Structure formats: structure tokens, C-alpha cells
Amino acid sequence: MAELHVELVAADRQVWSGEASLVVARTTSGDIGIMPGHQPLLAVLKPCPVTIRTAGESGQGSVVAAVHGGFISYTDGKLSLLAEIAELSEEIDVERAERALERAKAESDAPAEERADVRLRAVAASR
């Protein structure tokens, strides 16, 4: 099966890099799935969990990351996800995210609530 090279980069680090068969993300135009051979693309990412379906020697797997804004670009077999903030699901402290969500709701802090919600959805999607 053909694969595409994926780079997930946050403002402060490279979060993940590797080969994938499918990447699913949310843009300002809606959800999108990118597979090898997709038309060239440049879009704005909305805060969302991003799923990267990998295919390794052990079979189909996936990487899930909480992405908080940025851009997605695909051309010539290379997909770049350039995020303001990105965290792999296994890096997320669930209890801390739950406390942050409760605090944000109590303080009516919509941006903080959205960040905590995206983190928790990324962890749920990885299970």
C-alpha cells in the first residue's frame, strides 16, 4: 500500500514524524481525510484530535494528537501539520485536563475549555 510521509510539528518541537496511510483532521471547512495521492492542499486547522493511521510491521496502528490550531499542507506525498500547540495522546495528563476543563467552565473561559476538551477527546480517540 502506498504511504505518505507525515510531519507533525508544534511551535516548540517536532511532535511526530513517519509514514502513514491516512490522516484525519478538522479544518475550517470541515473534517478531512488525506490519503496518498490526495490533491495538493493548504488549509487552516481547527483545534481537534488528529488521527494518523500508520502501517508498520506489526499491522495497522494509529497515533492520535491534540492539535490546537495551525495549518495542514499536502503536496508530492508529504503531509505537514504545523500546529501552534500539539500533544500526543499518551503525553496528556487526563486528571490535569479534567481539572482544567472544570476550572475553565467555572470561570467561563471558552478558549481554556476548548483546549482541555480537545485534550480529553484525543485521549478518548486513542483508546
Side-chain angles (χ1 to χ4, degrees):
M1 172 185 279
E3 294 192 352
L4 55 131
H5 184 72
V6 178
E7 298 277 338
L8 173 57
V9 180
D12 60 343
R13 67 187 176 119
Q14 180 173 340
V15 179
W16 188 87
S17 176
E19 303 302 311
S21 58
L22 172 69
V23 175
V24 178
R26 178 164 294 154
T27 71
T28 55
S29 298
D31 290 351
I32 188 167
I34 307 292
M35 296 175 68
H38 195 282
Q39 292 291 326
L41 167 78
L42 178 61
V44 176
L45 285 170
K46 295 207 36 120
C48 68
V50 170
T51 301
I52 302 167
R53 189 166 299 154
T54 62
E57 293 179 14
S58 60
Q60 197 80 7
S62 65
V63 173
V64 180
V67 173
H68 306 278
F71 297 92
I72 184 171
S73 170
Y74 177 78
T75 188
D76 298 328
K78 183 176 179 185
L79 180 70
S80 299
L81 297 147
L82 308 169
E84 295 170 23
I85 300 169
E87 306 161 277
L88 295 175
S89 61
E90 62 262 17
E91 298 173 339
I92 296 170
D93 181 333
V94 174
E95 291 177 3
R96 182 175 175 208
E98 288 171 340
R99 286 192 308 271
L101 180 61
E102 290 174 18
R103 187 173 45 255
K105 285 181 178 181
E107 297 172 359
S108 298
D109 185 347
E113 185 176 341
E114 182 178 52
R115 286 190 302 273
D117 180 61
V118 168
R119 288 180 176 109
L120 292 171
R121 287 189 294 133
V123 170
S126 70
R127 294 184 177 164

